[in-house]
Amino acid sequence: MIKSKKFINFILQEGGIGLVLLILIAVFSIAAPRFATVTNFSNIMQQISINTAISVGMTYVILLGGIDLSVGSSLALATILAGKAITNPNLPVGVAIASACLAAVGISMLAGLFNGFVSVRWKIHSFIVTLGMLNMARGAALQISGSRTIFAFPAVFNRFGTMTFFSVIPSIFIIAFVLMVIGHIILRYTVFGRMIYAIGNNEEAVRLSGHNTGIYKISAFVFCGFTVGVAAIMYMLRLNIASPILGVGFELNAIAATVIGGTSMSGGKGSMIGTFLGACIIGVLNNGLLIIGLDDNARQMVTGFIIVFAVVLDTYREKLAKTQKE
Amino acid sequence: MKKFTRVLSVLLVVAVVLGSAGAVLAQDKKPVVGVVLKSLANEFFKTLQEGAEKWAEEDGRYELNIKGMNSETDIDTQLTIMDTFISLGVDMIVLAPADSSALVPSVVKAQQAGIPVVNFDVRLDADQLKAAGLEDFMFVGPDNEEGAYLAGMALAEKLGEGGKVFIIEGNPGADNAIARKAGFDKAVAEGKLELLESSTAHWETEEANTLVANLLTAYPDVQGIMCANDSMVLGAQKAVEAAGRDDILLVGFDNIAAVQELIKEGKVLATVDQFGAEMVQMAIEVGQRVIDGELEPVGWEKTPVELITIEDLE
């Protein structure tokens, strides 16, 4: 009896959000025979890739107790610059693709630098600064593109976008996964990563112990910009268009994935693996609820409910972890 | 402080004098038409704006003052624009309302100020207009239902009776989304198609891509997809392609450049053109006929909708 209780505690404590994901997958597999197929899992992987990439950066920012509302707009702006570069007829294909990648990553890192610098230099909460950036980037994207969708990318670029490895794993999922692993390693095993946690927990203490917290905070926003730039290229690979109106609401999906994954909105607590599982939960819900035949309105309600439920469950996990320690 | 007040009052007087001088000059010049658009972030309205500017320049009879906003639902900005046009005293207002009900009081205000208003693109709410004393207020715009019906029938003819289809809808509650859905439904009924699923992707490419990929898993036997706009066609087409299903036929609505390309490549069957570039011109010309007393300002002046297939683009 005691043993089994211990076992349940162990699962709850270590599994947490992963357990919710497994339950969801099990339920959908039973309810809809077409859910648990290779093709469908391949679809889900493709559908969560962009959100996963953005959420990697978002995790850094939220761990600091900040937030980045500008990711969706920055993504749109990045696709526009990259789209202009990649469709430039004067450039050889290879150069066009390379400059598109540089443009996307460059502009979104610049946006991140602005977000970080302004919020640190004038001690303004990132909520406001990135809200401003949300509008600036969207306006710039519309201005530069003349509100037009850019299309007709090089064939080799489009082909790579729809490629799957072992006919299961989409190319853009691999990019997202690598980004997530890099994000995880930096967070876990570097001074920079540990500093992010420390600042999120108690910025004053870190500052008093002689560290320049501002540099770390700005770097986190720049890193978030980097992941947005990569996500912009992934978007272009997936849909072969660049548009100034895309990415509306992407910030909310990334914040949801991060928070479902157990990262605390007040900072200092959370993990990259959790964020990845959070993104998986959103993707599986989106896919599974449709396949079992729920209509639009029901899907929206159930998704909302499960997001809250997952986070509530997570608070129990925390409590358990605390009592176990004691 | 006193000095400041004096400077301010001098400035005010100068502004008023200049303003009235401008107004007097303007009277000698062409009539000014205030054009209120919806989201200029939307490719359709951008085309509409550019078409209107080009026409005004070539035609030379009117001076256009075109205003829009950057979001489909920014009703406040539209209300502000209406107020600005009323206080500027423009000669005519043509309005594409962001909200069918919320703009009605502004229309009444303009009419009371003696400025004729032509409602185009999205129809103002009939009940709200009636309550405001504007019964059967004239509307100039496309028949979205008819357009969607044309696209739906093009698909139905290719598939034949019993063809299995999805409908990808626009924003729930939006007037044109409702009309287009009705047109598709009519084509489904008339063409005796089997509707497997009808869901919204909120006009968006990425959402349509995800939705269609997931629907293909749930209903692999689908043969055709009707999308309520071309942005969603772009996403749906990528999903179909990624699933390796070159047998599925797609139709859309709006005739945007990216979809024209797909039609030429044979990847999309048809779309619908509602001649956005000419719509402002049509609205102003109808308004002029009303001012000249040639037309009663009631009923629906329909603007053309046309099915676009590969034959039209070659």
Side-chain angles (χ1 to χ4, degrees):
Chain A
M1 186 64 204
I2 291 170
K3 245 188 190 166
S4 71
K5 199 180 173 193
K6 253 190 180 167
F7 179 71
I8 291 169
N9 282 353
F10 174 78
I11 294 284
L12 267 177
Q13 198 186 321
E14 299 299 320
I17 226 68
L19 197 67
V20 176
L21 180 62
L22 285 179
I23 292 171
L24 279 178
I25 291 176
V27 169
F28 287 137
S29 302
I30 295 163
R34 292 209 178 87
F35 176 81
T37 59
V38 171
T39 330
N40 194 42
F41 284 140
S42 177
N43 276 343
I44 296 176
M45 278 190 251
Q46 186 174 48
Q47 289 161 11
I48 62 170
S49 297
I50 292 169
N51 191 28
T52 299
I54 301 172
S55 306
V56 168
M58 188 66 83
T59 303
Y60 277 69
V61 173
I62 294 184
L63 275 173
L64 284 171
I67 201 147
D68 191 344
L69 300 177
S70 68
V71 290
S73 296
S74 298
L75 185 110
L77 177 60
T79 66
I80 291 303
L81 291 189
K84 291 259 176 201
I86 208 167
T87 54
N88 186 338
N90 301 322
L91 297 175
V93 175
V95 179
I97 294 175
S99 50
C101 295
L102 280 178
V105 171
I107 189 69
S108 29
M109 285 174 84
L110 214 59
L113 181 65
F114 178 92
N115 289 338
F117 179 75
V118 173
S119 59
V120 167
R121 169 66 181 77
W122 286 282
K123 297 192 174 62
I124 304 168
H125 195 281
S126 46
F127 187 95
I128 289 302
V129 183
T130 59
L131 185 64
M133 180 51 76
L134 178 152
N135 287 305
M136 284 188 269
R138 182 70 66 190
L142 287 164
Q143 181 62 35
I144 295 166
S145 65
S147 300
R148 293 282 193 286
T149 302
I150 302 173
F151 58 97
F153 298 162
V156 56
F157 182 82
N158 294 349
R159 258 206 309 282
F160 179 71
T162 42
M163 220 161 82
T164 49
F165 292 85
F166 316 111
S167 55
V168 191
I169 308 170
S171 51
I172 61 168
F173 181 78
I174 294 182
I175 302 176
F177 193 81
V178 169
L179 200 60
M180 191 270 289
V181 171
I182 294 173
H184 174 74
I185 291 172
I186 295 177
L187 208 51
R188 269 291 137 98
Y189 305 108
T190 68
V191 175
F192 172 61
R194 305 319 294 175
M195 274 300 179
I196 298 282
Y197 281 105
I199 295 170
N201 267 322
N202 191 341
E203 184 176 355
E204 198 54 19
V206 177
R207 202 182 58 77
L208 289 175
S209 62
H211 294 283
N212 182 349
T213 57
I215 290 294
Y216 292 106
K217 290 174 96 170
I218 293 171
S219 306
F221 277 97
V222 173
F223 181 74
C224 185
F226 171 76
T227 65
V228 170
V230 175
I233 295 297
M234 288 162 60
Y235 190 104
M236 291 165 67
L237 281 167
R238 177 174 162 203
L239 293 166
N240 306 154
I241 57 161
S243 155
I245 52 172
L246 59 79
V248 175
F250 277 21
E251 61 279 0
L252 298 179
N253 273 335
I255 294 167
T258 308
V259 174
I260 291 173
T263 300
S264 156
M265 290 291 281
S266 49
K269 205 158 71 291
S271 76
M272 198 53 75
I273 309 291
T275 296
F276 177 63
L277 293 174
C280 289
I281 286 183
I282 295 175
V284 166
L285 266 181
N286 211 349
N287 173 282
L289 291 176
L290 188 85
I291 291 178
I292 61 170
L294 254 57
D295 72 9
D296 291 328
N297 306 338
R299 280 209 307 280
Q300 203 170 2
M301 287 189 280
V302 174
T303 308
F305 178 78
I306 292 184
I307 287 174
V308 175
F309 174 76
V311 178
V312 169
L313 197 77
D314 204 52
T315 61
Y316 278 99
R317 186 179 65 93
E318 261 168 43
K319 267 186 202 150
L320 264 173
K322 261 185 202 154
T323 49
Q324 296 262 306
K325 265 179 202 159
E326 285 158 12
Chain B
M1 192 59 206
K2 222 176 192 175
K3 200 176 172 191
F4 176 73
T5 324
R6 203 181 302 152
V7 169
L8 196 68
S9 47
V10 167
L11 276 179
L12 267 176
V13 169
V14 169
V16 167
V17 168
L18 280 179
S20 15
V24 169
L25 280 175
Q27 264 172 8
D28 294 338
K29 282 167 67 187
K30 306 174 214 169
V32 178
V33 180
V35 182
V36 187
L37 300 182
K38 292 206 311 189
S39 173
L40 293 181
N42 183 327
E43 202 161 332
F44 175 75
F45 280 100
K46 197 71 186 175
T47 310
L48 198 140
Q49 180 194 20
E50 288 168 3
E53 278 165 354
K54 197 165 150 241
W55 168 77
E57 199 166 302
E58 284 167 6
D59 181 82
R61 277 181 295 168
Y62 304 95
E63 191 187 321
L64 299 192
N65 189 346
I66 305 179
K67 292 273 186 293
M69 63 269 194
N70 268 350
S71 142
E72 295 277 356
T73 49
D74 192 355
I75 299 161
D76 280 339
T77 305
Q78 269 204 338
L79 294 175
T80 313
I81 295 169
M82 285 296 285
D83 281 343
T84 312
F85 281 156
I86 294 168
S87 49
L88 280 175
V90 297
D91 300 282
M92 189 199 308
I93 293 174
V94 295
L95 164 72
D99 184 286
S100 308
S101 306
L103 266 294
V104 170
S106 280
V107 171
V108 174
K109 202 166 150 191
Q111 298 271 73
Q112 279 167 354
I115 303 170
V117 178
V118 181
N119 170 211
F120 81 107
D121 184 52
V122 174
R123 196 167 195 167
L124 289 165
D125 187 73
D127 294 337
Q128 192 89 13
L129 283 167
K130 199 173 167 185
L134 296 170
E135 199 161 343
D136 197 15
F137 192 70
M138 188 178 64
F139 171 64
V140 180
D143 188 340
N144 276 289
E145 184 175 336
E146 172 69 12
Y149 170 75
L150 290 175
M153 282 314 283
L155 185 66
E157 274 160 30
K158 283 273 177 190
L159 295 179
E161 277 186 26
K164 297 185 169 80
V165 296
F166 301 148
I167 294 176
I168 309 301
E169 302 167 32
N171 263 1
D175 280 352
N176 49 352
I178 294 168
R180 289 176 196 183
K181 168 82 162 66
F184 286 147
D185 281 339
K186 202 170 136 198
V188 166
E190 212 160 292
K192 299 201 170 60
L193 299 174
E194 186 186 336
L195 180 62
L196 296 176
E197 172 89 35
S198 185
S199 258
T200 177
H202 302 99
W203 306 122
E204 285 180 357
T205 306
E206 196 261 348
E207 211 178 319
N209 182 263
T210 300
L211 178 68
V212 170
N214 293 342
L215 285 177
L216 283 175
T217 309
Y219 307 97
D221 51 346
V222 67
Q223 297 164 290
I225 304 174
M226 306 177 186
C227 299
N229 79 350
D230 276 356
S231 294
M232 297 193 291
V233 170
L234 295 176
Q237 193 273 329
K238 284 306 291 179
V240 167
E241 192 179 296
R245 294 287 304 271
D246 51 10
D247 58 319
I248 297 175
L249 300 175
L250 296 133
V251 294
F253 202 116
D254 279 346
N255 195 23
I256 67 171
V259 165
Q260 287 176 1
E261 212 55 41
L262 291 173
I263 292 177
K264 282 186 209 160
E265 290 169 20
K267 289 175 177 170
V268 171
L269 179 65
T271 185
V272 177
D273 197 343
Q274 48 180 340
F275 303 96
E278 285 110 62
M279 209 178 282
V280 171
Q281 169 190 347
M282 292 186 276
I284 293 173
E285 277 169 352
V286 166
Q288 188 61 53
R289 278 164 62 205
V290 170
I291 293 174
D292 295 345
E294 292 169 20
L295 196 70
E296 276 294 302
V298 290
W300 182 355
E301 287 287 315
K302 283 188 186 175
T303 57
V305 285
E306 193 180 300
L307 188 73
I308 303 292
T309 60
I310 190 158
E311 283 93 38
D312 303 293
L313 296 171
E314 272 166 352

PDB file of all heavy atoms in Angstrom, chain A residues 6 23 39 56 76 84 97 132 140 147 232 241 257 287 291 305:
ATOM      1  N   LYS A   6       3.779   5.547  -2.859  1.00  0.00           N
ATOM      2  CA  LYS A   6       5.071   6.150  -3.182  1.00  0.00           C
ATOM      3  C   LYS A   6       5.280   6.197  -4.692  1.00  0.00           C
ATOM      4  O   LYS A   6       5.775   7.171  -5.249  1.00  0.00           O
ATOM      5  CB  LYS A   6       6.202   5.332  -2.535  1.00  0.00           C
ATOM      6  CG  LYS A   6       6.829   6.032  -1.362  1.00  0.00           C
ATOM      7  CD  LYS A   6       8.063   5.301  -0.932  1.00  0.00           C
ATOM      8  CE  LYS A   6       8.688   6.003   0.259  1.00  0.00           C
ATOM      9  NZ  LYS A   6       9.699   5.179   0.903  1.00  0.00           N
ATOM     10  N   ILE A  23      -1.765  10.490 -21.207  1.00  0.00           N
ATOM     11  CA  ILE A  23      -3.197  10.218 -21.045  1.00  0.00           C
ATOM     12  C   ILE A  23      -3.964  10.710 -22.282  1.00  0.00           C
ATOM     13  O   ILE A  23      -4.799   9.987 -22.834  1.00  0.00           O
ATOM     14  CB  ILE A  23      -3.749  10.900 -19.773  1.00  0.00           C
ATOM     15  CG1 ILE A  23      -3.141  10.225 -18.528  1.00  0.00           C
ATOM     16  CG2 ILE A  23      -5.270  10.818 -19.717  1.00  0.00           C
ATOM     17  CD1 ILE A  23      -3.433  10.953 -17.228  1.00  0.00           C
ATOM     18  N   THR A  39       1.307   8.564 -40.096  1.00  0.00           N
ATOM     19  CA  THR A  39       1.062   9.813 -40.833  1.00  0.00           C
ATOM     20  C   THR A  39       0.554  10.898 -39.900  1.00  0.00           C
ATOM     21  O   THR A  39       0.951  12.061 -39.993  1.00  0.00           O
ATOM     22  CB  THR A  39      -0.008   9.603 -41.916  1.00  0.00           C
ATOM     23  OG1 THR A  39       0.062   8.275 -42.360  1.00  0.00           O
ATOM     24  CG2 THR A  39       0.154  10.589 -43.031  1.00  0.00           C
ATOM     25  N   VAL A  56      10.857  27.900 -27.084  1.00  0.00           N
ATOM     26  CA  VAL A  56      12.206  27.751 -26.528  1.00  0.00           C
ATOM     27  C   VAL A  56      12.709  29.112 -26.061  1.00  0.00           C
ATOM     28  O   VAL A  56      13.173  29.280 -24.924  1.00  0.00           O
ATOM     29  CB  VAL A  56      13.169  27.144 -27.584  1.00  0.00           C
ATOM     30  CG1 VAL A  56      14.616  27.258 -27.123  1.00  0.00           C
ATOM     31  CG2 VAL A  56      12.813  25.694 -27.851  1.00  0.00           C
ATOM     32  N   ALA A  76       6.422  37.710 -38.409  1.00  0.00           N
ATOM     33  CA  ALA A  76       5.892  38.194 -39.685  1.00  0.00           C
ATOM     34  C   ALA A  76       6.912  39.099 -40.369  1.00  0.00           C
ATOM     35  O   ALA A  76       7.196  38.948 -41.561  1.00  0.00           O
ATOM     36  CB  ALA A  76       4.579  38.932 -39.459  1.00  0.00           C
ATOM     37  N   LYS A  84      11.691  38.765 -49.229  1.00  0.00           N
ATOM     38  CA  LYS A  84      12.260  39.694 -50.220  1.00  0.00           C
ATOM     39  C   LYS A  84      13.603  39.165 -50.715  1.00  0.00           C
ATOM     40  O   LYS A  84      13.906  39.217 -51.901  1.00  0.00           O
ATOM     41  CB  LYS A  84      12.468  41.076 -49.596  1.00  0.00           C
ATOM     42  CG  LYS A  84      11.167  41.797 -49.291  1.00  0.00           C
ATOM     43  CD  LYS A  84      10.851  42.830 -50.339  1.00  0.00           C
ATOM     44  CE  LYS A  84       9.493  43.453 -50.043  1.00  0.00           C
ATOM     45  NZ  LYS A  84       8.890  44.084 -51.197  1.00  0.00           N
ATOM     46  N   ILE A  97      18.963  31.999 -50.482  1.00  0.00           N
ATOM     47  CA  ILE A  97      18.479  31.276 -49.301  1.00  0.00           C
ATOM     48  C   ILE A  97      19.287  31.663 -48.064  1.00  0.00           C
ATOM     49  O   ILE A  97      18.736  31.932 -46.998  1.00  0.00           O
ATOM     50  CB  ILE A  97      18.525  29.744 -49.539  1.00  0.00           C
ATOM     51  CG1 ILE A  97      17.517  29.371 -50.640  1.00  0.00           C
ATOM     52  CG2 ILE A  97      18.223  28.977 -48.255  1.00  0.00           C
ATOM     53  CD1 ILE A  97      17.541  27.926 -51.057  1.00  0.00           C
ATOM     54  N   GLY A 132       4.787  47.265 -27.376  1.00  0.00           N
ATOM     55  CA  GLY A 132       5.170  48.285 -28.357  1.00  0.00           C
ATOM     56  C   GLY A 132       5.809  47.648 -29.575  1.00  0.00           C
ATOM     57  O   GLY A 132       5.467  47.965 -30.712  1.00  0.00           O
ATOM     58  N   ALA A 140       5.870  47.650 -39.545  1.00  0.00           N
ATOM     59  CA  ALA A 140       7.002  47.585 -40.472  1.00  0.00           C
ATOM     60  C   ALA A 140       6.786  46.491 -41.512  1.00  0.00           C
ATOM     61  O   ALA A 140       7.047  46.692 -42.707  1.00  0.00           O
ATOM     62  CB  ALA A 140       8.301  47.336 -39.701  1.00  0.00           C
ATOM     63  N   SER A 147       1.548  45.260 -47.812  1.00  0.00           N
ATOM     64  CA  SER A 147       0.430  44.376 -47.450  1.00  0.00           C
ATOM     65  C   SER A 147       0.284  43.172 -48.374  1.00  0.00           C
ATOM     66  O   SER A 147      -0.748  42.530 -48.391  1.00  0.00           O
ATOM     67  CB  SER A 147      -0.908  45.114 -47.414  1.00  0.00           C
ATOM     68  OG  SER A 147      -0.856  46.151 -46.477  1.00  0.00           O
ATOM     69  N   ALA A 232      10.647  31.765 -38.196  1.00  0.00           N
ATOM     70  CA  ALA A 232      10.180  32.435 -39.413  1.00  0.00           C
ATOM     71  C   ALA A 232      10.599  31.643 -40.651  1.00  0.00           C
ATOM     72  O   ALA A 232       9.801  31.441 -41.575  1.00  0.00           O
ATOM     73  CB  ALA A 232      10.731  33.859 -39.485  1.00  0.00           C
ATOM     74  N   ILE A 241       5.132  30.693 -48.186  1.00  0.00           N
ATOM     75  CA  ILE A 241       4.743  32.082 -48.383  1.00  0.00           C
ATOM     76  C   ILE A 241       5.350  32.928 -47.254  1.00  0.00           C
ATOM     77  O   ILE A 241       5.737  32.399 -46.218  1.00  0.00           O
ATOM     78  CB  ILE A 241       3.210  32.306 -48.354  1.00  0.00           C
ATOM     79  CG1 ILE A 241       2.594  31.803 -47.051  1.00  0.00           C
ATOM     80  CG2 ILE A 241       2.534  31.691 -49.548  1.00  0.00           C
ATOM     81  CD1 ILE A 241       1.231  32.370 -46.751  1.00  0.00           C
ATOM     82  N   ALA A 257       2.335  27.130 -24.050  1.00  0.00           N
ATOM     83  CA  ALA A 257       3.209  25.946 -24.035  1.00  0.00           C
ATOM     84  C   ALA A 257       4.192  26.032 -22.874  1.00  0.00           C
ATOM     85  O   ALA A 257       4.417  25.055 -22.155  1.00  0.00           O
ATOM     86  CB  ALA A 257       3.973  25.842 -25.358  1.00  0.00           C
ATOM     87  N   ASN A 287      -5.126  18.476 -32.710  1.00  0.00           N
ATOM     88  CA  ASN A 287      -5.280  17.423 -33.695  1.00  0.00           C
ATOM     89  C   ASN A 287      -6.334  16.396 -33.259  1.00  0.00           C
ATOM     90  O   ASN A 287      -7.255  16.085 -34.009  1.00  0.00           O
ATOM     91  CB  ASN A 287      -3.895  16.764 -33.876  1.00  0.00           C
ATOM     92  CG  ASN A 287      -3.944  15.529 -34.745  1.00  0.00           C
ATOM     93  OD1 ASN A 287      -4.341  14.461 -34.292  1.00  0.00           O
ATOM     94  ND2 ASN A 287      -3.566  15.678 -35.990  1.00  0.00           N
ATOM     95  N   ILE A 291     -10.078  15.139 -34.803  1.00  0.00           N
ATOM     96  CA  ILE A 291     -10.223  13.808 -35.387  1.00  0.00           C
ATOM     97  C   ILE A 291     -11.340  13.008 -34.713  1.00  0.00           C
ATOM     98  O   ILE A 291     -12.050  12.256 -35.366  1.00  0.00           O
ATOM     99  CB  ILE A 291      -8.868  13.053 -35.354  1.00  0.00           C
ATOM    100  CG1 ILE A 291      -7.924  13.740 -36.351  1.00  0.00           C
ATOM    101  CG2 ILE A 291      -9.030  11.592 -35.702  1.00  0.00           C
ATOM    102  CD1 ILE A 291      -6.553  13.165 -36.397  1.00  0.00           C
ATOM    103  N   PHE A 305     -10.192  24.496 -21.351  1.00  0.00           N
ATOM    104  CA  PHE A 305     -10.332  23.803 -20.078  1.00  0.00           C
ATOM    105  C   PHE A 305      -9.092  22.970 -19.757  1.00  0.00           C
ATOM    106  O   PHE A 305      -8.575  23.014 -18.634  1.00  0.00           O
ATOM    107  CB  PHE A 305     -11.581  22.920 -20.100  1.00  0.00           C
ATOM    108  CG  PHE A 305     -11.762  22.129 -18.839  1.00  0.00           C
ATOM    109  CD1 PHE A 305     -12.259  22.731 -17.695  1.00  0.00           C
ATOM    110  CD2 PHE A 305     -11.401  20.789 -18.790  1.00  0.00           C
ATOM    111  CE1 PHE A 305     -12.404  22.012 -16.529  1.00  0.00           C
ATOM    112  CE2 PHE A 305     -11.534  20.067 -17.620  1.00  0.00           C
ATOM    113  CZ  PHE A 305     -12.037  20.683 -16.485  1.00  0.00           C
TER     114      PHE A 305
END
